[in-house]
Amino acid sequence: MEIRHTTEADFARVMEIYAHARQFMAQHGNPDQWGPTNWPPEELIHRDIQNGNSYVCEHEGRIVGTFFYTAGEDIEPTYHHIEDGEWLDTSCYGVVHRIAADGSVKGTGKFCLDWAFSQCGHLRIDTHGKNTVMQNLLKKLGFTHCGTIYVEEDEFPRLAYEKVTVM
């Protein structure tokens, strides 16, 4: 598998993957994370592509996954306030959002998260409380549950996770 920046030519395929992810989440007990708002909106994905923060995962020349990634200092406003815990490290970090796969290649999510972590060595991510599939993956990859954050899109709390290179 390979990771590359998303192009506008990839847009339709990326939206197909998000549609698949919404259906998968609903079938696995998590209908509220993206379903009610038909998340993510097309305008946001176009903006992610234009800003160079949208990535696709390809397997044998076919796009099988997609995600948002960026890194820097204090880059995620919704992470400023964390409840029921605290972040492990306050240094610069990377963030993954909107990670999704089409289900055709086992290990796509792991591959994407491993790639993002390799870019920065300090990664944060959040997920819905009912998204047990993602929670299990994050635990398997060595992420630590740090507390609860809230996003602007809805009122559902998100479980916040972090992974930091051991020094």
Side-chain angles (χ1 to χ4, degrees):
M1 286 190 271
E2 294 181 6
I3 302 294
R4 66 169 174 79
H5 279 99
T6 309
T7 68
E8 283 294 338
D10 303 322
F11 178 78
R13 177 65 182 141
V14 165
M15 295 313 290
E16 286 175 7
I17 291 171
Y18 284 127
H20 172 81
R22 284 189 295 275
Q23 182 179 24
F24 177 88
M25 286 192 282
Q27 291 171 343
H28 290 85
N30 183 22
D32 299 321
Q33 186 168 354
W34 289 354
T37 59
N38 201 36
W39 192 259
E42 291 184 0
E43 316 81 62
L44 180 60
I45 302 308
H46 284 299
R47 188 168 57 244
D48 290 348
I49 293 169
Q50 291 167 0
N51 293 336
N53 296 327
S54 181
Y55 292 83
V56 292
C57 178
E58 289 185 324
H59 177 70
E60 297 177 351
R62 183 169 190 271
I63 296 172
V64 296
T66 186
F67 60 99
F68 168 96
Y69 170 78
T70 191
E73 188 173 336
D74 201 25
I75 54 173
E76 178 52 63
T78 59
Y79 291 172
H80 290 174
H81 178 74
I82 186 167
E83 296 179 354
D84 304 321
E86 61 186 10
W87 295 112
L88 302 173
D89 188 316
T90 58
S91 65
C92 292
Y93 59 90
V95 173
V96 169
H97 290 309
R98 300 182 282 286
I99 185 168
D102 70 2
S104 67
V105 179
K106 185 175 170 64
T108 301
K110 176 187 182 316
F111 188 84
C112 294
L113 288 170
D114 285 346
W115 177 90
F117 185 73
S118 75
Q119 303 303 298
C120 62
H122 182 190
L123 196 60
R124 292 180 180 175
I125 188 170
D126 63 86
T127 192
H128 196 280
K130 291 183 180 179
N131 194 340
T132 57
V133 173
M134 180 58 73
Q135 292 170 44
N136 290 334
L137 175 60
L138 294 172
K139 290 173 190 170
K140 177 182 170 185
L141 296 179
F143 283 78
T144 300
H145 175 242
C146 294
T148 303
I149 61 104
Y150 293 86
V151 297
E152 296 177 5
E153 293 80 36
D154 59 50
E155 74 276 2
F156 296 106
R158 299 295 197 276
L159 302 177
Y161 289 84
E162 186 171 30
K163 183 176 179 179
V164 181
T165 301
V166 178
M167 298 191 174

